Amino acid sequence: MMSNLMQEKLAIVEPIGYVTAANVSQFQEELTTLVTNKNYYSFLVDMDRVEFMDSAGLMALVAAFRLAQTLGKRFSLCSLAPSVRIIFELTQLDRAFDIFVDRQQFEGSLRQKVAA
């Protein structure tokens, strides 16, 4: 279900397919492990290959987001399919999460922070 690409101080998670109650425990465990890892300060969940997400998947992201906030770390999402984005909009979680159109927009936000 997962593939990871990790760079210095940034962890990128790329879930694939369906993120549902049937497989959410592995996803949740991976997110928690990464967020609590002292080597990473920023996290990007690239949702480009997620076809569907149910409420269990959404709650896994919310839990990881809250954990990151508690630890003073950045937790962002990008490349949400319209069917996934609507879940965030209906729950108004699109106002809480940093959601980027794609990975390039996220990387641009990192460059802006460095320049500031």
Side-chain angles (χ1 to χ4, degrees):
M1 185 178 114
M2 296 284 162
S3 69
N4 278 343
L5 169 67
M6 294 186 197
Q7 300 169 349
E8 186 180 2
K9 299 183 182 175
L10 168 66
I12 299 175
V13 179
E14 297 176 292
I16 299 168
Y18 287 54
V19 181
T20 66
N23 61 13
V24 76
S25 60
Q26 177 187 354
F27 182 57
Q28 178 72 54
E29 187 175 314
E30 182 171 359
L31 289 174
T32 301
T33 299
L34 285 172
V35 171
T36 57
N37 185 323
K38 291 180 174 38
N39 295 322
Y40 301 106
Y41 303 102
S42 187
F43 305 89
L44 177 65
V45 181
D46 186 338
M47 306 281 284
D48 186 50
R49 298 193 291 172
V50 173
E51 299 170 41
F52 177 78
M53 174 178 281
D54 70 5
S55 61
L58 184 63
M59 292 312 300
L61 287 173
V62 169
F65 173 70
R66 286 184 177 157
L67 179 60
Q69 279 187 316
T70 301
L71 298 172
K73 298 180 178 187
R74 181 179 183 183
F75 191 91
S76 305
L77 307 172
C78 76
S79 305
L80 276 65
S83 61
V84 175
R85 178 174 280 283
I86 194 76
I87 296 168
F88 285 86
E89 291 171 358
L90 289 171
T91 57
Q92 296 187 349
L93 287 170
D94 59 323
R95 298 177 185 184
F97 281 90
D98 283 334
I99 300 176
F100 296 91
V101 172
D102 54 26
R103 199 179 287 195
Q104 289 75 25
Q105 186 185 40
F106 172 77
E107 290 168 356
S109 77
L110 292 178
R111 285 192 290 275
Q112 288 175 350
K113 277 194 162 190
V114 170

